[in-house]
Amino acid sequence: MEKNPKWLVDVAVATLWTSYDSPREIDRNAISHPVYVEDWLGGLTYETSLELCNKNLVQSQVLYGEELQVIEEKGEWVHVIVQSQSSSKDKRGYPGWMPKNQLILREDWAMDESSVAVISEKEQPFILITENHSLH
């Protein structure tokens, strides 16, 4: 059985930021572990919400368990590639920055230990892990 180290999203939803210095003080609930998405969104005004796009602060979001490729570290932040999201910005997948505390490194990740179904007819890859397996 081959084991490969994997970086996985370890929060309900992680935001991919344009840069490690993109988040504002008002975004602290989006960069915490655990994330408080409802509190974050509820604390945004119309103007601060628009700034996320107009000031190019946010790139995308990824969900719990999603595998990421870490390509750079800067302090408590990591530059990642989301291989399951295509992008013209990087042929490997969608790039962005996120707090390292929102990831978990699974050095013991072994797909042979779980039943897996891969559906290739979708635009985005989808993996279903059966039985009651946890990422922790």
Side-chain angles (χ1 to χ4, degrees):
M1 164 177 14
E2 181 180 336
K3 293 186 178 182
N4 298 308
K6 303 281 184 188
W7 284 101
L8 305 172
V9 175
D10 195 38
V11 292
V13 59
T15 300
L16 286 182
W17 300 88
T18 303
S19 173
Y20 60 87
D21 61 357
S22 291
R24 308 154 297 177
E25 178 60 30
I26 197 169
D27 301 318
R28 69 187 169 281
N29 284 322
I31 61 172
S32 60
H33 187 293
V35 294
Y36 299 98
V37 177
E38 290 180 7
D39 292 342
W40 174 47
L41 296 176
L44 295 176
T45 64
Y46 178 75
E47 290 78 19
T48 56
S49 182
L50 279 181
E51 284 179 357
L52 293 170
C53 293
N54 292 343
K55 290 189 175 181
N56 194 31
L57 301 177
V58 170
Q59 292 296 305
S60 186
Q61 291 184 308
V62 288
L63 300 177
Y64 177 77
E66 187 87 29
E67 183 180 343
L68 304 174
Q69 179 184 3
V70 174
I71 58 173
E72 181 182 357
E73 292 188 40
K74 186 165 181 80
E76 299 297 314
W77 285 80
V78 289
H79 193 195
V80 300
I81 299 291
V82 183
Q83 295 165 312
S84 64
Q85 295 182 17
S86 61
S87 170
S88 60
K89 297 176 182 191
D90 192 304
K91 65 181 180 182
R92 298 170 293 180
Y94 217 102
W97 287 86
M98 60 185 293
K100 190 174 181 180
N101 70 348
Q102 292 185 344
L103 294 178
I104 186 170
L105 178 61
R106 293 303 309 241
E107 295 185 35
D108 62 343
W109 186 260
M111 293 302 287
D112 292 343
E113 294 177 7
S114 302
S115 300
V116 175
V118 177
I119 301 168
S120 60
E121 295 298 317
K122 295 277 199 182
E123 286 184 30
Q124 297 291 326
F126 177 79
I127 297 176
L128 172 67
I129 300 176
T130 60
E131 301 173 22
N132 190 13
H133 293 280
S134 172
L135 295 178
H136 291 284

